[in-house]
Amino acid sequence: MDFRRRPQKHNRFASFDQLEASDAAFRPISQAQRSWEENTLPALTNSDKGQVRRHLERYVHNEVSGDAEWLKAPEIPSEQEIGWITNGKFEVPKIQVKPNKLEGPFEDKDEYLETHAELMRNDSLCSLRFAVDEFRQHPDMVERDSEVNTRIYENVYTIGLTVAREGLALKIDFSTRRTEKLIRWPQSKRLKTGSIVALSPANDNFQSKCIVAVVASRLLSNLEVQYPSKPSIQIYLGDQNDIEIDPQQEYIMIEAIGGYWEACRHTYQALKKLHTESFPLSEHIISLQQTISSPQYRLEHPVMNLHSAAKEDGHLVREKNVLNEWPAFLYQENSNDVLNGEGTGKLPLAVSDLDSSQVKALRQILTQQLAVVQGPPGTGKTYVSVVAIKVLLDNMKPGSPPIIVTAQTNHALDQLLRHISNFEPSFIRLGGQTTDFDIIKPRTLFEVKQKINDHKLKNNSTLKNANAQRRNYERAIREILSPIISDQPLSPEVCYQYGVITGKQRDSILEVESAFVGDDIDDATPMEIWCDGKIMVARKRQGFFGFGQYEEFEEFEKLNEEDLEAFDSDDEKFETLRGMSLPFFTGYIGKQTTSVSESEVEELLKKHEDLKDIAPAYRGSVYDYFQKIVTERITTAIREYGFKTKELAKELKVGRWQVDHEILRDSRVIGLTTTGLSKYRGLVTSLKPKIVLIEEAAETLEPYVAVACFESLEHLILVGDHQQLRGHCNNSDLEGVPFHFDMSMFERLVKNGIPFTQLRTQRRMRPEIRQLINPIYPDLEDHLSVLDRKDVPGMGDVNVHFFHHKWHEANDDALSKKNELEARMIAEFFAHLVYNGFEPKQITVLTFYNGQVKYLRRIFNQQTLLQCQRLRIHTVDSYQGEENDIVILSLVRNNYYGAVGFLNNINRACVSLSRARQGFYLFGNAGILHQCSEKWKEILTILMERKSIQAYLPLKCSRHSNVFQAQIHTDFDNLNGGCDQRCDQIRPCGHACQLACHPFECEASRCEEECSSIMPCGHNCTRGCGVKPCHCEPCMGYGSRNVKPTRTTIPKADPEAIVNGKAKWDDFASGGHHDADLQAFEDMEKARDERTKSVEPATLKAELPTIDELDEHKEEGSAPKPTALKMQLLSLDEIYPHQENISGSASIAQNSLAALKSEENKPLVAREENISKSASVEQNGLVALKLQENKPLFTLNSEKDEPLVAITSEKKEPLAGIKQEKNDPFANLNPAKAKPVTPSKATTFNNWAAPTPAVDNATDFPPLVDLSGSPARALPPHRAHLSRPAPAVTAPALPASAPATPPQGSKGKKTVWKAKFTSGQGERPS
């Protein structure tokens, strides 16, 4: 058989589709694999179990010691680290951090670990340090005053304690008054589980005391509470000596937005453990040796079965010694491409769907102990990882430890595990934060354990003993806290037990009871009787709910979703702490009738053995002393149990990990995030894994990768792309020079000459899009499948375009950037694409700023077409690894000083430019972007050469092939995805479609014509044609559409019939009757006026025309169409009582105006009679036309054909926009001229200058008027014929410049015009 004549089967999809197609091609599970799952490994012997237990105990219990300061740092930071407080005094520390090394090796392992550990710890804590220091200086500040986004919670009280498996957790409630806004707790990232907070007594404000804690539980049921309750959370304290069991002590609590300690916490502890262990691959990671050998297990077993890498003829690559002779493959997509093999002369060859660079990467993965694979966008790096894991599993020997698969985010990990599940269904996902409930969730460790019925396995001796001890601690703690949890005052016996009073003093209080026998004491306790009414229940401040505005919150998307793994929870109900929970009673306080100091109380107690001798006026102060001393001694006892439960928590962890070890040892693949890898590192090391594969390695900070170097590790595989997003630092000062903490191990190794393989064939982007990243990836090639991508409907052949504008940016409340006009333009363009057949899920809008994301969502929600849709609007940082058919990029930045912010980061730019498959559209200021960097200059030059940078969007009608240039969002007002011609296609109902040209079927929209169906009662249907079922208003009857519609001869107008119902008027108006009896209609008006006086206006809904309107249409020679003009009487709720002779200073309210309304029921033009020139007209923010001398206020300038409604300066120049400099390379992108850009010397970027505060010339851009949505707006010159001049409504004649109906030049309309006519008190305004 001639292998070169095999038919080519082109893969027409992108890399992830290649994955899905190839998953099905993997061979079914072999008998050996099936037996592996059915017959698990032999049970562990007692000796093996003992060895595992000792390993886990050493890992969990042994504290790392050393001379280095970083080794002495506590697991949870101290008050010295956060509050800069030492022994009760504030001292600013000197923080010295070594920078990461970009070039050259580290001196040794100690320097390497210390550098990255200190960088990571400071990166996680710096935000809280700054927040505490800011509050210390401004203790009365509210959140909006903060310069570092400090979150402040006041009125914090301890209200309970839980004996959880991690130790003692305190329950606290708090007030959010200083936020000054309501909080959406389900969406908010405030007080996330695992976040670090700082507390200080309310009277100290971090001057001498700073308590550091970690959020242990954040139940929404405890946060979304009603007044007078306050929201509450549970916290773990870093230092058990900070525990305070005093329900009456008030605190202030501070949280910082940046930094998530729980993720850093486990990694920091893992780096400490790594300090005491051997460091595999340190010769490459630390010393940067460039010669890489094969892993030890491969040297022992070099013969491999590679049939999983073959699409056909897999038997030809079985039993190959991959170290001596790598077999040759034939690329299925290209019969001329023989892939990387020494045996190219031996035929036949196995066919593979891997391209040459992918085969090269596979070879490196299988044969080198440190494999680094770079996968540019769309090149299928995940697919290569999946094939490599399949090959490794095919060659795994029985009894071998599992392969560890990890990624930074849950999303990437789940995606990888879904592909692995096709050939290895018995994998286990460690950590419960997955969104895949069908495939991944059943394979989480928690779910697998739930299905095991082996009670001996679940209850080993370690776990049994630890749980028994825990129950003992719970009983003891409950007994100690009994005075705090009781709703009664302190008993004399409790005061005696804690040494506050003597036995005789106790007895004297108890004797008081007998003196009151027979009195009405309502079961009062002896202490209450002794206090003689001088104590009362302590009251705390209640919750504050005085704000009506909700807090703005960042979109969740995938931000920090890897952090969710950091909290100890395999159970999906992890927010609920398991263990005994004890609520605190607020306690009693004394009524201070007489001021007595603490020392004076002590003297009274020494003086009086019989406490009845103490004057009643002093007894309130004495009780306060009892309460204080008892609380202090209870607190001391609870602190001791705090240390005990912390040690017990370690033993419980050892017992749980013993159970987990026996389950995990039977699996062949274990998946977890990089944060989870640090958290479960002790458990994973007990399995002695040899192979670790890390996806997204270039986006992961180096400490999270370094902890994967277990002592048993022989093979480390790093897959990523260092030219896309880097790791995220909470403190931007640690990014770049001089610290370079954002540089990953992947990038550092590549830049220091460690061998790596780059994938070179992309299967995602059409060639025009791929060319934009040529400056970043000059060697990237296109797969055959991307060469025949279809053009974007509604855009002609324009599939890549840069919409250039000069609309200024702004800041939102969180000081993030937004560009409102750009967002409106994008929203309209998005709707245009949806009109042309795209599903909203096929379009993604990307931006670099959270402020723009929030504003875009707000604008999109105002679009009727896009409401209730699942829209994909994301930040660029959250979209790496994703792709979509259409991507719209909002660049936002445009300012006078030329600042571009995130746009200057070429890694972010790379991600944003490479997400689209079919169409890619950029919105921004090309001139200001051009000065960012040399890479952006190259990218823009590519667009300029293709004439793809214009100051308009070139829309193309798919029906008429008309090309329309949209320059501002209002240009879309008369468009429905097509052009501005009227559709006029005949609907199935028989009416002509009245919409403007549209690419969708007419049936998709409702017909607005009058229904011509005849009801069984003989009347015409009074509803619109598109409204079902039919309806007869006079008879209030509903009919069937089965009645055959007929058209009858129009009868003579009958005023009585028209007043009682509008069916006859509908027939009259729709029949083209030209000889209307005006007298009959005058009688009709009189009859209507009489009804108006006698009947509530709310009942008058007959749509009746006015005489003036009938006169007007009579002169024109045609009756008005109901769909073009409908008049309706409004109710009293919609009109204001008729007023005459209003004075010149009167202010006319909104409801006093007779409003001409559009279909959306929004006033287009408002008017009022007899208003003097100084009258003030208010129309709810909309433009109100004030008629003076029967002339419209706004007219068109006949000389320049420019609207006079533009906001102009004193020099008659529009204020909006930026002045075009003569050397602006985009000066020729004048939307009025609409000329394409031609690269020439005149259009070079070299002399481009940053925009200046000067205004634009009047002819540069159309004036931007009425951004609030009012129809009184200026249109670009080429759209002037589509403007809707304001209709003058004064009788008897209308100005010629302001017709009452749309001008004849308007061929199409987006909405049907409807006018509502208001009348008040029986008189019709002229």
Side-chain angles (χ1 to χ4, degrees), residues 72 256 448 455 691 732 813 919 957 1069 1217 1241 1273 1294:
K72 301 176 184 178
V448 172
H455 296 287
I691 306 172
S732 59
D813 294 340
C957 174
K1241 295 181 179 179
R1273 55 180 165 235
L1294 297 176

Side-chain angles (χ1 to χ4, degrees), residues 1061-1077:
K1062 68 182 181 65
K1064 299 291 180 67
W1065 162 248
D1066 290 341
D1067 289 338
F1068 171 82
S1070 61
H1073 187 68
H1074 297 281
D1075 300 321
D1077 187 349

Side-chain angles (χ1 to χ4, degrees), residues 415-475:
Q415 185 183 68
L416 185 59
L417 290 178
R418 275 194 295 272
H419 297 304
I420 293 175
S421 66
N422 289 289
F423 52 82
E424 183 56 36
S426 62
F427 72 91
I428 288 184
R429 171 45 153 110
L430 200 54
Q433 298 301 322
T434 177
T435 57
D436 188 330
F437 297 98
D438 297 327
I439 299 175
I440 310 299
K441 190 67 174 179
R443 296 304 304 171
T444 59
L445 179 61
F446 175 80
E447 295 292 337
V448 172
K449 282 197 295 187
Q450 294 297 104
K451 300 174 184 177
I452 297 177
N453 297 320
D454 189 347
H455 296 287
K456 293 183 179 180
L457 174 64
K458 292 184 177 181
N459 295 279
N460 55 59
S461 59
T462 305
L463 211 51
K464 282 183 178 180
N465 295 335
N467 283 324
Q469 187 63 46
R470 181 183 174 187
R471 288 190 290 271
N472 293 335
Y473 288 165
E474 287 178 348
R475 286 192 291 268

Side-chain angles (χ1 to χ4, degrees), residues 578-625:
R578 297 180 178 182
M580 181 185 69
S581 183
L582 301 173
F584 293 168
F585 182 63
T586 56
Y588 286 76
I589 58 174
K591 297 179 180 178
Q592 303 300 327
T593 57
T594 302
S595 178
V596 181
S597 66
E598 186 174 318
S599 60
E600 290 175 332
V601 172
E602 292 176 351
E603 289 297 326
L604 286 174
L605 293 178
K606 291 178 181 179
K607 182 178 179 180
H608 299 287
E609 284 292 329
D610 188 347
L611 297 185
K612 296 191 297 294
D613 295 339
I614 298 177
Y618 297 146
R619 293 181 185 179
S621 298
V622 173
Y623 181 85
D624 286 343
Y625 177 79

